[in-house]
Amino acid sequence: MGICRDVKTQPKKEKRLGGNRAALFVYATEGLENMAFVAIAVSLVTYFYGYMNFSLTKSATTLTNFLGTAFMLTLVGGFICDTYLSRFKTCVLFISMELLGYALLAVQAHFPHLRPTPCKGHMNKCETANSSQTAILFTGLYLVALGTSGVKAALPALGADQFNDEKNPKEVAQLSSFFNWFLLSLTIGAILGVTILVWITTNQGWEWGFGICFVAVLFSLIFVCMGKSLYRNNKPMGSPLLRILQVFVAAIQNRKLPIPENTEEFHEIRDKEARIQDEILQRTEQFRFLDRAAIIRSTNDATTSTTQGPWTLCTMTQVEETKILIRMLPIIFSTVFMNTCLAQLQTFTIQQSTTMNPNLFGFKVPGSSIPVIPLLFIFVLLPLYDRIFVPLARKITGVPTGIRHLQRIGIGLVLSAVSMAVAGVVETHRKSLAYKHNMVDSLEPLPMSLFWLGLQYAIFGAADMFSLVGLLEFFYAESSTGMKSLSTAISWCSVAFGYFLSTVVVEVVNKVSGGWLANNNINRDKLNYFYWLLSVLSVVNFGFYLVCASWYKYKNVEVKQGDVEGKVEMAMA
């Protein structure tokens, strides 16, 4: 039996496909895969520096390049998923690549001759990794990046497909819950990764760390395959990028044709026997110049619309698919700055923690473990949001998801600005203690618990819960049938752009301000000013987001159901 089922030819089995039973395997797969990825992401700098003898600068650069690439490559996974393979097959393919990457890294960490000789004394006297050793490292590393990118693109869409029956009103609400529980599974995996797996790596060695990552991803492959018989699988519908390009080319070629006022005059395929998508997108007034791609050239030949090629005549659904993507781009751009703020919490906040008291009830907490705070906050808050807030909000608003996706993203952006403001206040207090106790140049910890940093982390954790899930759900719900995986991948690119923009922001602010962050001593830097600047810029960014969200027009879908065609407005998205 093939992986991709034609549900129209198997009506009796349709009821047994999808739903929470199928989604359970998606949750397990995501938790295990993310546990491995996050565990190495937070600690790879120590491997590059201590095992591969990279300089500290090269270690940090290598890590940021790895993370940025991993999130950017989701576009590749999304493209393959929508164009060539089902989401299930895409997950299997990319998880297998990730497995191979972890295996290669584990082998290199285990055998000393595959790594440079360990340093003895100063770093400038260390033997650097040779070309073959570096090649093994980067091959394994970017196989992991490619593998996790494909999973991030395909797995959320695969899980959402299990609740994508728009003819079933219950599944509309269940779809929103899926994304909440998907984030919860991702969070649980991350918590295990930054605590247990990082501890094992630190105390038992990197061969154990990479080896456990290999085993975790192997079980994620097993779990995703166990759900094979329960999944609703998508049909790849060809390249969405090619369809979009055809719209622009056809619109340019037809640029001199007048735009008809009657929507029925535009080209659309409504034959139920035709092998096209199960939805027909209704025409919207935005970007009217693209409508010319769907104009049938008038001639005396009645078969003109069938003889015109795809580069001269597109369906209105194809045109609207292109419009949807154009409308989505400002939304994703307006969320990039939030991830730039996140990058600061993962860098400067860790530096702050090294100057503060790490003791908690007699236990010394390493500063690198502070990022677990937002994860724990999400772990507690998500079930409350899904089981208490959403049902109450649903009664008030009448929206199945409680609040609309764009509203949820907006709340996340507001909380991000609040988090940066709180970070500025905490940093001001920390610096005042350093001056008060004459410890500005001291290496001793300040009389201030590092758990004060948990305030900004907790608020940002709530911001991430609103914005990340809101983005994933928004892009999945609003995209056309033929590009749901690619759209989901675009939402992950916000994280990549945020990391890349972070470096630019720090350098520009440092230069314009005259060196707010130029000292090697964080007690003498003006990090609090930097945090407040980020907060102000976040407010400005939120204003830009409000404009984009107000301008956005939700798609209208005409759902085809055998011989009956019914119109369903997707405003609930």
Side-chain angles (χ1 to χ4, degrees), residues 264 268-274 276 280 558 560 565:
E264 298 298 325
E268 188 63 86
I269 299 177
R270 297 177 181 274
D271 183 3
K272 66 185 179 185
E273 300 297 331
I276 61 171
I280 295 177
E558 187 175 326
K560 300 177 64 179
E565 294 183 350

Side-chain angles (χ1 to χ4, degrees), residues 210-436:
F210 288 132
I212 294 176
C213 287
F214 175 86
V215 173
V217 175
L218 176 62
F219 274 99
S220 74
L221 178 61
I222 293 173
F223 276 117
V224 77
C225 290
M226 286 173 64
K228 174 184 174 182
S229 61
L230 298 174
Y231 296 142
R232 296 172 184 166
N233 286 285
N234 69 303
K235 295 178 183 178
M237 298 172 59
S239 171
L241 300 181
L242 182 63
R243 294 196 300 273
I244 291 170
L245 182 61
Q246 288 172 344
V247 169
F248 280 101
V249 172
I252 292 173
Q253 290 188 1
N254 298 338
R255 63 187 179 277
K256 295 182 180 180
L257 298 179
I259 299 177
E261 294 300 325
N262 187 358
T263 303
E264 298 298 325
E265 296 182 31
F266 291 101
H267 178 53
E268 188 63 86
I269 299 177
R270 297 177 181 274
D271 183 3
K272 66 185 179 185
E273 300 297 331
R275 185 184 180 277
I276 61 171
Q277 60 265 36
D278 294 329
E279 66 178 9
I280 295 177
L281 300 178
Q282 298 180 359
R283 179 177 176 243
T284 58
E285 291 298 321
Q286 289 178 322
F287 311 113
R288 285 172 56 88
F289 69 93
L290 293 177
D291 293 345
R292 290 185 171 86
I295 297 178
I296 303 174
R297 297 184 181 182
S298 59
T299 66
N300 295 327
D301 186 358
T303 63
T304 300
S305 64
T306 58
T307 56
Q308 285 185 253
W311 295 95
T312 57
L313 180 63
C314 304
T315 65
M316 182 50 65
T317 291
Q318 192 175 343
V319 172
E320 286 301 317
E321 180 182 53
T322 304
K323 290 182 180 181
I324 288 172
L325 182 62
I326 296 175
R327 286 196 294 262
M328 283 179 168
L329 291 180
I331 300 295
I332 196 68
F333 288 144
S334 60
T335 62
V336 169
F337 194 78
M338 174 181 170
N339 290 296
T340 299
C341 295
L342 173 62
Q344 313 315 316
L345 293 182
Q346 294 176 334
T347 53
F348 289 116
T349 303
I350 299 300
Q351 287 183 283
Q352 289 174 273
S353 70
T354 61
T355 69
M356 303 168 75
N357 184 3
N359 293 313
L360 178 67
F361 303 120
F363 179 72
K364 187 175 181 180
V365 180
S368 58
S369 295
I370 289 296
V372 78
I373 292 177
L375 297 174
L376 291 173
F377 198 76
I378 293 174
F379 177 76
V380 173
L381 192 60
L382 252 178
L384 297 177
Y385 175 86
D386 188 73
R387 295 304 179 186
I388 298 178
F389 175 79
V390 171
L392 290 176
R394 185 183 298 142
K395 293 179 180 179
I396 298 173
T397 64
V399 178
T401 55
I403 57 176
R404 302 185 190 279
H405 306 327
L406 292 179
Q407 292 172 333
R408 182 168 184 172
I409 296 170
I411 292 174
L413 295 179
V414 171
L415 290 175
S416 172
V418 173
S419 175
M420 290 297 98
V422 170
V425 172
V426 172
E427 172 61 8
T428 299
H429 180 59
R430 189 196 66 81
K431 283 187 63 177
S432 66
L433 286 178
Y435 280 95
K436 179 180 180 180

Side-chain angles (χ1 to χ4, degrees), residues 19 81 90 126-127 137 168 181 188 192 210 212 260 279 292 300 359 368 381 415 435 469 508 548:
C81 197
T90 302
C126 291
E127 175 187 347
L137 172 67
N168 186 346
W181 294 110
I188 292 174
L192 295 176
F210 288 132
I212 294 176
E279 66 178 9
R292 290 185 171 86
N300 295 327
N359 293 313
S368 58
L381 192 60
L415 290 175
Y435 280 95
V469 177
V508 170
C548 297

Side-chain angles (χ1 to χ4, degrees), residues 23-36:
L24 287 175
F25 296 100
V26 174
Y27 300 145
T29 301
E30 174 59 25
L32 289 167
E33 191 277 334
N34 198 56
M35 179 183 75

Side-chain angles (χ1 to χ4, degrees), residues 189-204:
I191 291 173
L192 295 176
V194 300
T195 53
I196 297 175
L197 195 48
V198 168
W199 183 90
I200 293 174
T201 300
T202 303
N203 292 276
Q204 302 300 321

